Amino acid sequence: MNEAELRKKLELLRTEHRDLDAAIAALTEAGERTGFVDQLQIARLKKRKLRLKDQIAIIEDELFPDIIA
C-alpha cells in the first residue's frame, strides 16, 4: 500500500473506533435504563475496538516510524 492508501485506511479505522465507542456507550446507557445490560455484546464490541486499536498502531508505525537520532 502506498502512503495515501494507508492514510485513508487509517482514517477509516479511526472512524470505526469512534463509532464503537458510541455503540458501547449507547448499549450501556440503554441497559441501565432497562435493567438488562448485554455484557456479551459489549465484550464483543470492546474486543473489536482493541483489534482496531492494534491495526491503527501498526499503520501509524508504518507512516510515522520512530527515528532515534
Side-chain angles (χ1 to χ4, degrees):
M1 279 191 192
N2 64 30
E3 185 176 338
E5 291 171 335
L6 285 174
R7 288 183 185 280
K8 184 172 177 84
K9 176 131 176 107
L10 181 61
E11 187 55 39
L12 290 172
L13 291 173
R14 286 178 175 164
T15 300
E16 187 176 351
H17 191 267
R18 283 190 301 269
D19 290 347
L20 284 173
D21 269 338
I24 291 168
L27 272 175
T28 302
E29 184 180 313
E32 290 172 355
R33 280 186 276 126
T34 63
F36 173 73
V37 179
D38 189 352
Q39 293 295 332
L40 182 60
Q41 183 66 20
I42 291 173
R44 287 178 178 157
L45 291 175
K46 286 182 177 182
K47 194 172 190 178
R48 172 73 180 142
K49 191 176 154 192
L50 285 173
R51 282 194 301 261
L52 287 172
K53 184 178 178 183
D54 289 343
Q55 289 177 325
I56 289 168
I58 290 168
I59 292 174
E60 285 177 339
D61 285 346
E62 203 168 317
L63 286 173
F64 316 109
D66 289 337
I67 300 173
I68 300 173

